[in-house]
Amino acid sequence: MTVSALLLIDIQNDYFPSFTRAKMPLPHMDAASAQAAHLLAAARRSGTIVIHVKHVMASDAAPFFHPGTPGSELHESVAPQSEETVIEKTRPNSFVGTKLQELLREAQVEHLTICGAMSQMCIDATVRAAVDLGFKVTLAHDACAAATVEHDGVTASSDMVQAAIMAPLAASYAEVQRASECVARLQG
């Protein structure tokens, strides 16, 4: 039997438009977290390993996720239970500078279900790294949120960024599914 884990990445207050002091509100973050909460509940019911990843910026000059602030805290919709692991990271890739790979290997995890934010940064970096490390990955795309970005005078909406990230991940890295499909798989 394949051992699986659910990774909830950076579902933190600073990303939520509904959090009054949000420093980096993402469109669709509230909807994404609601889907992540469904995944989390299914993982808990099925006994799937749950790991929360929390981004804490190393510098006070960073635009968001300042250490010790309410904005850097994990959102209440996916609050960890005492037996669940919380890993803090300072880079987009959840494996860099953390014990994530070690914890997964010790638990003999082969498959990861991933959700969270931001799709174009920490989700993309972590999914690609996980596959490069030999894990099979399922990405719950509607339990992820992206930012609207601008480059060289071109603005890409969060919806366009989401599609531009999910399409190549689906082509070469992960099984990209709706959260409801992931829930059905977890419930087996």
Side-chain angles (χ1 to χ4, degrees), residues 133-179:
L133 291 169
F135 296 99
K136 291 188 182 348
V137 176
T138 301
L139 180 57
H141 69 86
D142 57 343
C144 295
T148 296
V149 298
E150 183 180 335
H151 175 72
D152 200 23
V154 176
T155 299
S157 71
S158 63
D159 291 336
M160 293 303 293
V161 172
Q162 181 80 349
I165 294 301
M166 295 301 154
L169 291 178
S172 299
Y173 285 91
E175 195 171 339
V176 178
Q177 300 180 333
R178 293 190 169 281

Side-chain angles (χ1 to χ4, degrees), residues 93-113:
N93 177 345
S94 298
F95 292 95
V96 172
T98 71
K99 294 189 183 270
L100 179 58
Q101 182 180 359
E102 181 182 325
L103 290 170
L104 294 171
R105 298 287 186 219
E106 285 175 6
Q108 300 180 331
V109 170
E110 300 171 43
H111 176 263
L112 300 173
T113 300

Side-chain angles (χ1 to χ4, degrees), residues 7 9-10 53-56 87-101 104 112 114 117-133 135:
L7 294 185
I9 299 175
D10 302 350
V53 179
K54 178 181 176 183
H55 200 140
V56 179
I87 292 177
E88 286 193 4
K89 67 181 177 72
T90 59
R91 306 280 304 153
N93 177 345
S94 298
F95 292 95
V96 172
T98 71
K99 294 189 183 270
L100 179 58
Q101 182 180 359
L104 294 171
L112 300 173
I114 296 177
M118 288 189 291
S119 296
Q120 75 275 14
M121 291 294 290
C122 300
I123 298 301
D124 184 51
T126 300
V127 167
R128 290 171 186 264
V131 172
D132 289 345
L133 291 169
F135 296 99

